[in-house]
Amino acid sequence: MKSLYIAEKGGYWYKLPLKAKFFSLALLLLGILFSAHQTVLLFNLLVILLLVAPGSGGMVLLSRLKAFFFFGLFIIIFHSILNPANTIKVYFFGLEGALYGSVVAMRLIAVVAIAQSALITTPPKKIFLLFSSWNKDLGLIMFLLVGFIPVLEQELVNTSQAQQTRGLTWNNIIEKLIAYLAMIIPVIIKALYRAQGMAALLFLRGYDSQDRIMAKRSLKPLWVKGSRILIVFSLLFFLINLSLFAGLRLKVW
Amino acid sequence: MNRNLKILIIVVGIGINIIGGTLNSALKLPLFLDTIGTILAAVLLGPWLGALTGILSNVFSGIFTNPILIPFALVNGVIGLIVGFIALKRGYEDYVTPIIIGLVLAIAAPLVGSPIAVYVFGGLTGGGVDIIYGLLLGTSERIFTSAFLARIPTNLVDKLISAYLVFFIYRALPPQWKMLSSARREKKAEAS
């Protein structure tokens, strides 16, 4: 399966150990979710982009964010015209709605930048290894899925061709719905039977989730040399945002 | 063996969710149809593993296609929980249960999904629902209410179709598949 991972471009997000990277990105994400004021959010967005973009292949990240820039623009325009809180209007663009829309758009772009930087620099196999270290079965489910989805896709193509030779068409919405059912039901039934076979194979090969301890050994611990600065920085980012959020809510400032 | 089969049913459920969504967008239907696997897994395996199926399917497609899908894992998880508990209570063999499930999910899924959509996207989806959302925003003057109401009609049709699809598949399954769910129901009946 094709994933969002892009092979090594040489940024520092590539070199970080997995646990440290995900921990610091999660803290940055929490910091973003707690920043509600537009000025704070704008500053945070700039910090995030400066921190994340050079470390994860720069232009790749920005090209993936391009669609969200346009969607953000759409959100701002939509809310500036239709938001019910609009009172001050310039022609038909309301200022309150535009402000609300820009907060949402900036938050969206920051969240996507963080998530994409994690997925660009980490191959899915390693993320599943992280799952395996929490629970063995969880990791197994993810690893089995990687092989299972292409099989289902092929099954879908086969079924679609078989049904088309029997005269299936989809021109209007009712026909489309019937076509959907005619294609998905055989795929589901075949998938269930395949599941039975694969479960028997797992049993025959002696899969017992209690014995697997590989994943835990292959992952570096959180607090290692080389990732400490980033963890401390993201912790500070989170704490500052949390205190700003609490201060704004409790009207300390 | 039983444990392995459970794992594989979760895998199949996630696969069906993803393939169902893909086929839906390929046919350009104005629905979602990406919760069929969650409902199937919840009926066969019970509420908690059903919720796990839902959450993992969004996490998996988030990792492989678009990370913004990951927050909506909550919606899929709640669908698994609700279907699982209703199926545990009523079984899934009569014609009424899918209607109940469809109606409950048509309210519950937007109830969980709209706050996430409002927080992350400002209530917009980039699709046809936005027109209804805009019209409602003009009349109801509340962002959350409009986003919630705009999502109900699509969800109602979507979840009813999904529930009945799973219902007909479940009825046609051989008895050894139903054992997983009926054994659990009997155990619960004995306990109470």
Side-chain angles (χ1 to χ4, degrees), chain A residues 182-203:
Chain A
M183 283 191 243
I184 201 82
I185 290 173
V187 173
I188 293 176
I189 303 289
K190 280 177 200 164
L192 285 175
Y193 277 107
R194 192 178 281 272
Q196 209 169 15
M198 279 164 81
L201 277 179
L202 273 187
F203 176 69

Side-chain angles (χ1 to χ4, degrees), chain B residues 35-161:
Chain B
T35 51
I36 300 170
T38 312
I39 297 176
L40 184 67
V43 170
L44 284 173
L45 302 175
W48 298 107
L49 290 181
L52 182 71
T53 309
I55 291 171
L56 284 184
S57 58
N58 270 45
V59 169
F60 188 84
S61 45
I63 288 172
F64 274 94
T65 54
N66 189 357
I68 210 73
L69 292 171
I70 295 176
F72 293 94
L74 202 60
V75 185
N76 224 335
V78 167
I79 288 172
L81 274 184
I82 290 173
V83 174
F85 279 120
I86 293 178
L88 208 61
K89 186 90 184 158
R90 295 183 53 96
Y92 210 67
E93 304 257 9
D94 55 345
Y95 282 91
V96 188
T97 316
I99 297 183
I100 297 174
I101 285 179
L103 290 177
V104 172
L105 289 186
I107 306 292
L111 203 62
V112 184
S114 325
I116 303 173
V118 167
Y119 191 73
V120 181
F121 298 118
L124 295 166
T125 54
V129 184
D130 290 351
I131 301 167
I132 311 173
Y133 175 51
L135 288 175
L136 284 170
L137 213 54
T139 53
S140 80
E141 310 226 321
R142 291 226 169 101
I143 292 175
F144 174 75
T145 319
S146 316
F148 172 65
L149 288 176
R151 280 168 174 73
I152 286 186
T154 325
N155 264 297
L156 182 64
V157 180
D158 179 75
K159 300 300 185 279
L160 274 176
I161 290 173

Side-chain angles (χ1 to χ4, degrees), chain A residues 33 79 104 107 137 176 180 209, chain B residues 3 20 27 33 119 122 177:
Chain A
L33 295 185
H79 275 286
V104 172
R107 192 163 49 209
D137 291 336
K176 276 180 186 172
Y180 183 90
S209 57
Chain B
R3 183 192 174 87
L27 286 175
L33 294 172
Y119 191 73
W177 279 89

